[in-house]
Structure formats: C-alpha cells, structure tokens
Amino acid sequence: MVKAAETKETSLANMQVDEDVGASFGATDLLLLLMVVIWGLNFTVIKHSLEVLQPLAFNGLRMAAASILVVAIVRLTGRDLKVSRADGWRLFGLGLLANTCYQSLFIIGMAHTRAGNAALIVSTTPLFTALLGRLRRHEHFAARGILGLLLAFGGIVLIILSGQEETSLGETILGDVLLVAGTICWSLYTVGSKPLVHVYGSTKATAFMMITGTPALLLICVPSLIRQDWSRVHPVAWAGVAFSAVFAIALAYIIWNYGVRRLGSTRTAVYGYLTPVVAILVAWPALGEKPTLGQLAGALVIFGGLYLVRGGMTVVAHAESEEEELEQATLGPGKN
C-alpha cells in the first residue's frame, strides 16, 4: 500500500498538459476499434440470448464470469490487487457506478423503452464525458473538438431517424429516464477512473472495480436467477453469455480503461459513437435488418466527427507508474 501511495504521489506530481497525445492514429486507436467491433457484435449476441434468458439473469451470469476472468488475468501476469486505502474506497465507488448502477439501469431501461430511444440516449455518453472531463480539468478542448462531438452526435441522430423503428418520448418515459441515469453513471465512471488507471494500470484497476461492483449487481440479479427456467437455455444462449463475458465485458472494459489512460476520457468515449454503426452492419446479415441510405450517411458523418475530436482535444498527461509500464509492454508498442 505504501509503495502504491508513493507511486501515486510521484505520478500526480509530474502531471502536465501533453500537447502531443492523440495527434496521430496509433495502437491505442486500433484497440478501441476492436472494442467497438466487439460491442457492435454484442447487440446481436444479446438479442439471441435474451430469447431464452431473463435480462437480469443474463447480466448476472456474464458479469460474474467476466470478473473471475479479469482477476485471473491479473494474477497470471504476476500482479496483485493491493491498493492504498484511499484509492480502494474510490475504486469501490467506481465499481458500483460501472458494474452495479450502470449495468442495472441499462438492462432495465432497455426493457422499458424502444431501441431508437435507447441508442439515442446512450450515444450522449461522450457529451457528458467531455463536460465532466472539462469541469475536472482532465482535458481541454478547442472549437474543433466541440464541433466534432456535436457532428458525431448528429450522425447518431441521423442513423436513428433513418431507421425503421421510431423513437418515442411520451410512452417510454420510465425506460428513458433510467437510461439517462445509466449514461451519467458511465460518464462519471469514465472520468473518475482516469487518475486511478494512471496509478494502477487499466487491467488491475478494472479487476478491482469489477470484484467490488459485481457482488452488489448479483444481489439485484438473484430473483431473476432463481426464476429462470434453465431447461430452456440452449447452447447458443450459453455461447452468447460466454462471448459477452469474455469479450464485451472483460476485454472491452480493460481496453476502455486503457484508452482513457492513453488518450483521455473524451477521446475514448467518442469511439462509442461507432458502436451503432457496427451493430447495424452486423445486424444486416445476421438479423436481416438492411441499413437505409440515411443510416449509411450517418455513419460517414460520425467518422468525420471522430476525426475532428481526435485532433481537437488536449489531455492532461501523467507520468507512468510501474504498473503502467508493465501493461504498456503487454497491450501496446508505443505511446499514442
């Protein structure tokens, strides 16, 4: 704990505004694109699994499995889960935000609103993240960055309005409110975790937050796990649970936190704008949901917004800790 505290002091003492971080496309961006592909695939995977699994039962299974996997990765790489007492409480709170509050609000909100509403609300995450990051002075953004955020959000709106499912506000108010609350939770988690992933590395920080947030989530999921008719769960549904746990949660959470550390919270969050694009392309052959010309145009607008944000943000950089150096050797070849 003492060593961790000393590392944190050294890291924070050497904070500076990094003018070059994110100036070019690099290995971190490739990892984030991999995350986007995984999350885009996950929408179709979840849709198939929920045909026989209750939403909270599905959530409980995948989060429990993902937590075990991430902890195993930390142990296999020779690291431990020791943190300072102060950071432990902060990580605990962030774990509740991401793994208990967000996951519960998201899955219940999805059950009480339309897909168009959900996609529109969840896509506001980068906007909330940018605002919170600026208020906490983690990031500074120029007019180009703001324009990029709004342009990418406009692309999301175009995709939704061009889709076959209508959006609605009056009939789905409960689900919409829950999703807004979930989006705020995820944004708070993203911005709040930034200093800590600089101290402990994304893998260790992710593992600690998952083992503190998942037990509370499982308590919420217990009734659904008891009511679930397990005789109806076929191999395809179990495969969906495995994919979602291993890739959409365990791997994607690690990549997300790694991106927050390397590129900043907003430039990582803005990659979430691409997830609906991938989801539409995957659903085309898998579910027979053919994209419209408006949706394809929206995808192009999103890519333009990403380009502007990528060069329009200035991130407060931290000196690397020993945990970060070990992780950097594993996840990426160079600083981006």
Side-chain angles (χ1 to χ4, degrees), residues 165-201:
E165 291 196 47
E166 298 180 355
T167 56
S168 170
L169 294 178
E171 300 176 358
T172 58
I173 187 66
L174 173 61
D176 296 338
V177 170
L178 291 175
L179 284 168
V180 169
T183 298
I184 294 173
C185 285
W186 185 260
S187 299
L188 287 168
Y189 159 75
T190 299
V191 175
S193 64
K194 186 177 186 294
L196 295 169
V197 297
H198 276 278
V199 177
Y200 301 108

Side-chain angles (χ1 to χ4, degrees), residues 80-119:
D80 55 42
L81 291 174
K82 293 180 180 179
V83 299
S84 70
R85 179 172 297 181
D87 287 344
W89 283 110
R90 294 174 65 190
L91 288 165
F92 174 74
L94 291 168
L96 292 178
L97 273 176
N99 302 303
T100 306
C101 298
Y102 170 74
Q103 289 292 342
S104 299
L105 291 168
F106 175 79
I107 203 72
I108 298 173
M110 282 289 294
H112 289 85
T113 191
R114 298 183 181 184
N117 293 49

Side-chain angles (χ1 to χ4, degrees), residues 8 48 73 81 87 97 109 140 152 154-155 180 191 196 199 220-221 224 233 256 276 278-279 286-287:
K8 180 183 177 184
H48 283 300
I73 291 173
L81 291 174
D87 287 344
L97 273 176
H140 305 275
V180 169
V191 175
L196 295 169
V199 177
I220 298 173
C221 298
S224 292
V233 184
W256 179 276
V278 176
L287 303 175

Side-chain angles (χ1 to χ4, degrees), residues 53 56-66 218 221 225 230 238 241 245:
L53 278 167
L56 286 177
F58 175 84
N59 234 12
L61 289 173
R62 69 171 183 159
M63 289 301 297
L218 288 175
C221 298
L225 289 167
W230 298 104
W238 284 116
V241 172

